[in-house]
Amino acid sequence: MGDGLFGIGEVATRFAMATSTLRYWDECGLLLAAERRSGRRYYRAEDLHRIALIRTWQQTGLMSLEEIGAVLAGSADGQDWRTVVEGRVRAIDAQVERLVTARAHLEHLLECPNHDPAGGCPYLRQATRRWTEEGVAAVPAAKDEPGQSATGSEAVTGVAGGRSGARR
């Protein structure tokens, strides 16, 4: 539009998303249309920036809409947005640790000289020892939230550091 406003359909197309998503974000208070004409929502360039932030934080930071709302609100409402972001960083760190461990297991499977790694691989036996000998209760939960114990690698493998020192 010539007045610096963008219609909801144009915005949805620009961001490859459904117009219903923009309406939902509006209902949640994450986004407010700059103007409504005949029931249609219109957005300013600053609103497009906000939409881009929401999309970025959803996709790259894996943040929930509630967490995004807290960051967008800043330090208003008596909540410091930094606390929310610090929590996401801790959760991402735990996820990265689990992924590193998972990758080590998959790489081992590709390199394992044993033709039946699930049944005869000593490395995999060592990695699952705590589970098989002591049960699930002996293997601490992955650390996703503050206050939980253990690291992702210990939770997945039962072996600190993910891989044992012996060559498989």
Side-chain angles (χ1 to χ4, degrees):
M1 295 188 84
D3 54 6
L5 295 175
F6 304 89
I8 190 170
E10 181 183 355
V11 172
T13 300
R14 180 177 293 204
F15 287 95
M17 56 194 301
T19 57
S20 60
T21 300
L22 293 168
R23 288 187 197 97
Y24 180 71
W25 289 357
D26 194 349
E27 290 171 21
C28 293
L30 295 175
L31 181 67
L32 298 175
E35 194 174 310
R36 287 186 188 209
R37 296 182 191 160
S38 302
R40 280 195 56 182
R41 291 171 168 89
Y42 291 89
Y43 301 95
R44 300 177 306 260
E46 187 60 26
D47 299 320
L48 300 185
H49 169 70
R50 191 173 180 106
I51 293 166
L53 284 175
I54 295 169
R55 297 281 292 190
T56 299
W57 291 338
Q58 275 186 315
Q59 293 173 359
T60 62
L62 304 173
M63 295 174 72
S64 70
L65 291 179
E66 183 179 337
E67 291 167 329
I68 291 170
V71 175
L72 290 172
S75 294
D77 302 331
Q79 181 180 357
D80 184 10
W81 59 268
R82 288 171 185 84
T83 303
V84 171
V85 174
E86 288 167 352
R88 287 306 314 143
V89 168
R90 283 191 305 274
I92 288 170
D93 286 345
Q95 185 176 15
V96 166
E97 195 171 333
R98 286 190 308 273
L99 289 170
V100 166
T101 300
R103 181 185 183 114
H105 275 275
L106 294 173
E107 287 174 343
H108 170 77
L109 286 173
L110 291 173
E111 298 169 2
C112 185
N114 194 311
H115 294 293
D116 178 20
C121 176
Y123 164 70
L124 293 178
R125 290 275 177 203
Q126 175 63 27
T128 61
R129 183 188 56 76
R130 285 185 65 195
W131 288 86
T132 58
E133 292 178 6
E134 302 173 38
V136 173
V139 180
K143 186 176 183 178
D144 278 330
E145 299 296 326
Q148 286 185 326
S149 63
T151 64
S153 62
E154 290 170 335
V156 173
T157 65
V159 176
R163 296 180 112 171
S164 66
R167 184 70 191 142
R168 294 144 224 59

